[in-house]
Amino acid sequence: LGLGAQQGAGGRLMASPADARVLRGLQAQAGNKICVDCETRNPQWASVSYGTFMCLECSGVHRSLGVHLSFVRSVNMDAWKGDELKKMQLGGNDACNQFLAQYGVPKATPIKEKYNSRAAELLREKVKAAAEGRAFTPPPPSEVRRQAPSGPSRAGGSRPGSGSVSRQSSRGSLSRGNSSRFASQGDDGWGSDDWGSGG
């Protein structure tokens, strides 16, 4: 646990004052003042896996993905470990969205599709490697081939990526079942290794 974790109501461990100061400082950064997945202001939840901040509604969708895809913490109501804080310091909402966009996954992509993508897998590995002090370089665009979707046609909007998107659709509700959910895996363009420095 982070040093000095405090006990809240019902015996639940909460962020220590020192950890809370670190998290508040990160939340105050311009890119972190809006949910990583929608336009809700003042997000109070986080995905340690990506070092990002999100709103309550989006955090529920992230939790449904499983901890192997997104490890969710409350900024205020959970105790934080040192390695978790380090991932938050190395990440950032803007850095996440820029990285995924380089790989063909815009912010408006439904959450379940976005975080099941190859681009999100690379981002998880990048954040983890940075927190562990390891070098990590994603594959360059020339090494990745775009694949045609194996499921139904995208004409129905299984992957929004341009124009305005309703709040619900940006949260990851998929109406075509698993075939369209996974059809986009591997359908990500690959961008450069320029992910930003220090979040």
Side-chain angles (χ1 to χ4, degrees):
L1 298 176
L3 294 177
Q6 298 185 334
Q7 220 165 5
R12 183 182 178 115
L13 290 174
M14 299 171 57
S16 71
D19 294 346
R21 276 193 300 276
V22 170
L23 291 165
R24 278 196 304 271
L26 293 171
Q27 285 179 295
Q29 294 176 7
N32 294 337
K33 292 181 178 181
I34 295 176
C35 176
V36 69
D37 294 315
C38 73
E39 299 306 315
T40 301
R41 295 186 175 277
N42 195 26
Q44 296 298 309
W45 292 81
S47 174
V48 176
S49 307
Y50 307 96
T52 56
F53 293 94
M54 69 192 79
C55 70
L56 175 63
E57 189 174 342
C58 288
S59 76
V61 183
H62 274 257
R63 283 187 187 276
S64 75
L65 299 174
V67 296
H68 64 294
L69 293 182
S70 187
F71 183 64
V72 178
R73 300 268 85 193
S74 165
V75 171
N76 300 308
M77 297 183 292
D78 287 322
W80 286 74
K81 297 178 182 177
D83 63 324
E84 295 169 353
L85 285 172
K86 189 167 187 179
K87 287 180 179 179
M88 296 304 297
Q89 291 169 316
L90 292 166
N93 290 9
D94 280 349
C96 173
N97 282 318
Q98 289 168 11
F99 183 90
L100 295 177
Q102 291 174 7
Y103 289 71
V105 183
K107 178 175 178 172
T109 304
I111 290 173
K112 290 182 180 180
E113 184 176 345
K114 182 189 296 187
Y115 295 102
N116 272 290
S117 69
R118 175 76 172 124
E121 179 184 1
L122 291 171
L123 180 55
R124 286 191 301 275
E125 180 57 31
K126 187 173 182 79
V127 172
K128 181 179 178 185
E132 295 172 354
R134 293 186 289 111
F136 177 77
T137 304
S142 60
E143 291 184 12
V144 179
R145 303 263 188 263
R146 292 184 67 86
Q147 299 175 358
S150 59
S153 165
R154 284 195 187 171
S158 66
R159 182 194 220 173
S162 59
S164 62
V165 177
S166 74
R167 190 172 165 145
Q168 181 180 6
S169 69
S170 72
R171 289 250 158 59
S173 48
L174 295 169
S175 59
R176 294 187 177 176
N178 286 340
S179 63
S180 78
R181 174 179 169 189
F182 295 107
S184 68
Q185 284 187 331
D187 190 21
D188 304 315
W190 298 99
S192 71
D193 189 35
D194 180 18
W195 182 51
S197 56

